[in-house]
């Protein structure tokens, strides 16, 4: 039982690390996508605050 729980946590941790690494490289390759998204979020939040 303990071995199975250890294995599940290890697999989940590896998937999180791989997701973070792939997201990092995606942002390096497409930096404009992130800027557009933050710009839209800022505009949307400023419209809400009015």
């Amino acid at each position: 039982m303990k071995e199975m729980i250890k294995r599940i946590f290890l697999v989940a941790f590896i998937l999180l690390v791989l997701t973070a690494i792939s997201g990092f490289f995606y942002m390096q390759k497409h930096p404009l996508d992130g800027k557009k998204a933050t710009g839209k979020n800022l505009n949307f939040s400023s419209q809400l605050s009015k």
Side-chain angles (χ1 to χ4, degrees):
M1 186 68 185
K2 254 186 180 175
E3 292 295 322
M4 200 167 95
I5 292 173
K6 280 185 189 177
R7 186 171 295 175
I8 290 171
F9 276 112
L10 184 68
V11 169
F13 180 74
I14 290 173
L15 286 175
L16 282 173
V17 170
L18 287 176
T19 305
I21 292 171
S22 64
F24 173 77
F25 282 118
Y26 179 81
M27 290 307 296
Q28 294 295 316
K29 205 173 203 182
H30 307 282
L32 287 177
D33 288 352
K35 287 180 186 172
K36 284 181 189 171
T38 55
K40 283 181 186 172
N41 289 342
L42 287 175
N43 289 343
F44 184 70
S45 63
S46 67
Q47 285 175 357
L48 279 177
S49 64
K50 284 184 181 176

